[in-house]
Amino acid sequence: APLATKCVTSGILFALADVIAQTVEASSSQAERGREGEGEREREGEREDDIDVTRVARYSFFGFAIQAPLFDTYYTLQDRVVDGVIGLEGTSGSPILKLAVDQLFWTPFLYLPVFFGGMALLELKGREEAMQQVRQKGWGLTTTLVANWRFWVPVNLANYVVVPPDFRILW
């Protein structure tokens, strides 16, 4: 798929994912509020189940402008190196090596720092706050990375085994 298609798809998926996340957060908050009484935000006239459109726009922008081009380049380079230079194309070692590089190098030291730092900057939090977010959530072995492994290891294994390279960005 062309990069433009990947960018648009990623922007839409990031926006949808954030709407779902906000909906789940609001639902959890309402359940908690039901146990404790009315929440502070509702008393001030702001409903917790409203979607933060600005936040959705930030996520969409990140998916469109940063994640899609970044992952398109990453997957292309990864395929060239693992399959071409190392020569593992068509072997069971190819998806295993790609998954190991993805989850032990790319995600903890490149992608998560870009994601958390980038989102903090898009929230206009400044460079220092962005660096703090990277150190706390996105650099090395963090609780975020461990949670990431629970979901993305099996998904990415399927991604490397089943999905043709041109469509991988759509995950």
Side-chain angles (χ1 to χ4, degrees), residues 22-51:
Q22 289 188 47
T23 302
V24 169
E25 289 169 5
S27 177
S28 297
S29 179
Q30 286 175 345
E32 183 67 26
R33 195 173 51 253
R35 289 189 289 271
E36 296 177 2
E38 287 209 23
E40 186 67 29
R41 288 174 69 185
E42 265 193 5
R43 282 191 294 253
E44 295 172 3
E46 182 181 343
R47 293 179 30 183
E48 286 196 26
D49 58 349
D50 287 343
I51 297 297

Side-chain angles (χ1 to χ4, degrees), residues 114-127:
V114 167
F115 176 77
F116 286 111
M119 290 306 288
L121 291 173
L122 289 172
E123 293 170 15
L124 304 175
K125 290 186 176 178
R127 193 175 71 79

